[in-house]
Amino acid sequence: MLTLSRWKIIAVTLSVIFGILFSLPNVLPQKTLDAMPGWLPRQKLNLGLDLQGGSYLLYEVDTEALHRERLSNLVEDVRTQLRNEQIPFGELAQQGDVVSVRIGDASRYNDAMNVLRKNIGAPLAGVIGGKDVAVSGKGDQRIQLEYVPEAIRADAAKAVDQSIETVRRRIDSLGTKEPSINRQGANRIMIQAAGESDPERLRAVIGKTAKLTFQMVDETVTPEDIQAGRIPPGSEVLKGDRYAAVYVVKKRAVVSGDELTNATQTFDQNGSPAVGFAFNGAGARKFGDVTTRNRGKRFAIVLDKQVISAPQINDPITGGSGIITGSFTAQSANELALLLCSGALPAPLNIEDQRTVTAELGADAVKAGSISLAIGAASMFVFVILAYGLFGAFAAIALVVNVLLIIGIMSFSQATLTFPGIAGLILTLAVAVDANVLIYERMRDEANAGRTPMAAADHGYKLALTSILDANITSLISGLIMFSFGSGPVKGFAWTLVIGVFTSLFTAIFITQVLIGWWFKATKPKKLPIA
């Protein structure tokens, strides 16, 4: 065990060099880092929200609004299917969570049931032959449709997952580093953006649904009809752009923003800021078909239920791309392009809590953490040196290398250090000392049993290794479980602990072993300094 093999010396030397090189940028001023050669590492630790300050936001996903939209779409689907089959109907309406329609011709009632059961709704995951919409007859030639409970729950869960990914893409587009975005409860999203001192800037991007749709303008409705409230079924009134106060458009979108592949800030033929867009293959085909069939008519480009442009279709648009014009500035056009690229939120987000953690509070936390780390490390150094003399000094050197390795690995991987992470770092040092204590106590027992110094040291390492591995493996399992299922501070603590388990094993076993082996080779002692 105490043989100074070449690979052990190389491993220890490389680990020390790695720890120093990747930890050093954290204590050097920025000017010095900028002047360093490009091949040297410059990554610093990413400090969490609690250490460097930033913004905290808590959103609730409005799953009820999502369900209302699904029901509204269900009404339009029923209308479209029955009209396509030329089945007379009336009294189509939404009442609570149920959509009801009355079939006008009793002889076509069964046809209507079959059409709706076949074409309405999507397959329900995990249910063979089942659909997310239940279609049932209720007498008096009425048919009722409603979403089954499993579909409602699945929609809500999917909306939260999609919202988390969309929010992450939007925050990434702002250049915010290492945001913490986690689900909290059933339908809440917690966002911690370290270093982002303006939560309003985050809200301006995060909170927009950015649901882009292309809907045909209903040309049959006159301004007088709008004032009198005579809006045909299947149409709706939306706020307009600078050219019109309101528009009446068909409720059913012909193409949606889900089929966009790209959006960029550009300029129109007059040099005004605009947003260029491109559809995927399916979207391009739909857009081409719609513009071919409706030449001379207008279609509305709708963003979050507001018409931002309503151009006339002069020629079919078959290329799958175009531009959105409106009263944009270069900044607002760029923001809209970023929102469209990151995707629409499936449901509105309602702000529940908003806080700003100041840099002063973060600095206080860093100072407190540094002091606690220094006190803890100093106490352990004093203990091991007083208890084990020279070998205790070797253990102290291993602890220093351990800290350098942890900080170096976290800087290299750009992991985020939080205040609980500092607690994990202190705990890691204690575990590392514990490994050395086990080794040295076994050495002492072997020396007292009459073994020579070399044999006592060698057996001490061999006999203590099993206990050390058992203790560290259980710590590793606990850390991995906390990292997998925890969030926020728990995850930060667990990540530091997991890294520390590996570095502690390496430094406690290999570094002290190389130092003790070198000491034996240099002094050839007659007695162990801990006996």
Side-chain angles (χ1 to χ4, degrees):
M1 286 292 289
L2 288 178
T3 54
L4 289 176
S5 56
R6 181 175 298 177
W7 73 267
K8 287 182 183 178
I9 296 173
I10 292 174
V12 168
T13 303
L14 291 178
S15 67
V16 172
I17 293 172
F18 174 89
I20 292 173
L21 284 179
F22 283 91
S23 298
L24 196 57
N26 293 285
V27 296
L28 293 178
Q30 190 60 44
K31 289 183 179 179
T32 305
L33 289 177
D34 294 338
M36 288 168 57
W39 55 270
L40 287 174
R42 300 184 183 183
Q43 302 100 313
K44 289 187 176 184
L45 277 171
N46 282 327
L47 300 182
L49 179 68
D50 51 356
L51 296 182
Q52 68 166 313
S55 298
Y56 171 92
L57 297 169
L58 182 65
Y59 281 100
E60 182 179 56
V61 181
D62 193 346
T63 53
E64 288 296 325
L66 175 67
H67 185 52
R68 290 193 297 270
E69 181 184 355
R70 293 280 193 271
L71 288 171
S72 178
N73 290 338
L74 183 58
V75 171
E76 297 310 310
D77 287 342
V78 171
R79 191 190 314 278
T80 300
Q81 292 297 327
L82 295 180
R83 281 181 176 174
N84 288 345
E85 298 297 324
Q86 298 181 345
I87 298 174
F89 66 93
E91 301 177 27
L92 174 59
Q94 174 192 335
Q95 299 173 343
D97 291 338
V98 176
V99 173
S100 175
V101 62
R102 187 175 183 276
I103 304 304
D105 184 351
S107 64
R108 303 295 307 278
Y109 181 79
N110 288 334
D111 293 339
M113 286 285 290
N114 292 332
V115 166
L116 296 180
R117 282 176 173 166
K118 179 180 178 182
N119 299 326
I120 296 291
L124 191 61
V127 180
I128 299 176
K131 285 198 170 186
D132 58 359
V133 176
V135 182
S136 58
K138 292 298 178 182
D140 193 25
Q141 298 174 206
R142 289 185 179 277
I143 299 175
Q144 286 189 354
L145 303 93
E146 59 183 321
Y147 282 95
V148 299
E150 293 87 347
I152 296 173
R153 289 193 293 269
D155 267 351
K158 185 179 178 182
V160 176
D161 291 337
Q162 288 179 341
S163 296
I164 289 173
E165 290 307 311
T166 301
V167 166
R168 190 182 305 280
R169 288 195 295 269
R170 291 182 180 182
I171 292 179
D172 287 345
S173 71
L174 295 176
T176 302
K177 294 184 69 176
E178 296 289 332
S180 173
I181 305 169
N182 298 291
R183 180 197 293 262
Q184 190 173 81
N187 61 345
R188 289 184 174 185
I189 301 173
M190 181 184 67
I191 302 164
Q192 293 179 326
E196 182 59 64
S197 59
D198 185 7
E200 291 298 332
R201 178 169 176 256
L202 289 177
R203 285 187 62 180
V205 174
I206 293 172
K208 289 184 179 178
T209 310
K211 183 165 287 187
L212 184 73
T213 55
F214 295 80
Q215 299 168 233
M216 295 305 301
V217 176
D218 192 339
E219 307 281 5
T220 64
V221 181
T222 64
E224 291 76 17
D225 292 332
I226 296 175
Q227 290 182 354
R230 294 190 294 269
I231 307 302
S235 297
E236 60 182 340
V237 180
L238 297 179
K239 292 180 180 180
D241 56 8
R242 58 181 174 175
Y243 298 110
V246 294
Y247 287 90
V248 179
V249 301
K250 299 290 186 181
K251 287 184 179 179
R252 200 61 168 157
V254 292
V255 190
S256 73
D258 294 339
E259 294 164 307
L260 288 177
T261 58
N262 191 29
T264 57
Q265 189 266 319
T266 184
F267 297 93
D268 61 17
Q269 65 270 23
N270 299 318
S272 299
V275 178
F277 64 88
F279 287 114
N280 60 20
R285 285 192 297 272
K286 290 180 186 177
F287 200 57
D289 292 342
V290 169
T291 54
T292 300
R293 293 196 310 267
N294 295 281
R295 184 179 299 183
K297 297 181 181 180
R298 290 185 300 162
F299 69 91
I301 301 173
V302 182
L303 179 69
D304 292 344
K305 292 297 182 180
Q306 181 171 356
V307 177
I308 58 177
S309 182
Q312 181 173 304
I313 303 171
N314 295 321
D315 295 297
I317 304 172
T318 56
S321 61
I323 64 170
I324 302 171
T325 59
S327 52
F328 293 117
T329 63
Q331 181 179 351
S332 62
N334 186 59
E335 287 180 356
L336 176 57
L338 289 175
L339 289 172
L340 296 179
C341 283
S342 64
L345 289 169
L349 296 181
N350 300 323
I351 188 71
E352 295 287 314
D353 189 14
Q354 172 183 318
R355 294 198 300 269
T356 300
V357 179
T358 65
E360 288 79 11
L361 286 175
D364 290 342
V366 172
K367 184 178 179 182
S370 301
I371 292 173
S372 62
L373 179 60
I375 293 174
S379 300
M380 284 182 280
F381 290 166
V382 171
F383 168 76
V384 293
I385 292 173
L386 290 178
Y388 302 108
L390 179 63
F391 282 12
F394 291 160
I397 293 172
L399 285 177
V400 173
V401 176
N402 192 9
V403 173
L404 291 176
L405 283 176
I406 294 174
I407 295 175
I409 291 171
M410 295 189 72
S411 299
F412 174 75
S413 63
Q414 289 293 276
T416 300
L417 179 65
T418 61
F419 197 69
I422 294 177
L425 182 57
I426 296 172
L427 178 61
T428 296
L429 297 181
V431 172
V433 169
D434 183 61
N436 287 121
V437 168
L438 285 173
I439 293 170
Y440 294 162
E441 288 299 326
R442 293 299 304 192
M443 286 184 184
R444 180 177 285 167
D445 290 342
E446 294 300 313
N448 292 337
R451 293 187 184 273
T452 64
M454 176 62 80
D458 193 58
H459 278 74
Y461 268 102
K462 287 180 180 178
L463 297 174
L465 186 59
T466 302
S467 300
I468 292 171
L469 289 175
D470 287 345
N472 280 275
I473 288 172
T474 54
S475 296
L476 179 62
I477 292 172
S478 300
L480 291 174
I481 291 172
M482 286 190 289
F483 185 80
S484 300
F485 298 101
S487 62
V490 174
K491 208 162 191 173
F493 173 84
W495 180 236
T496 310
L497 183 62
V498 168
I499 294 176
V501 167
F502 289 105
T503 59
S504 296
L505 276 173
F506 179 81
T507 56
I509 295 174
F510 287 99
I511 290 185
T512 56
Q513 190 180 130
V514 167
L515 290 173
I516 292 173
W518 166 80
W519 177 76
F520 267 105
K521 185 176 181 180
T523 63
K524 297 180 175 55
K526 302 296 183 182
K527 183 180 179 183
L528 285 177
I530 60 173

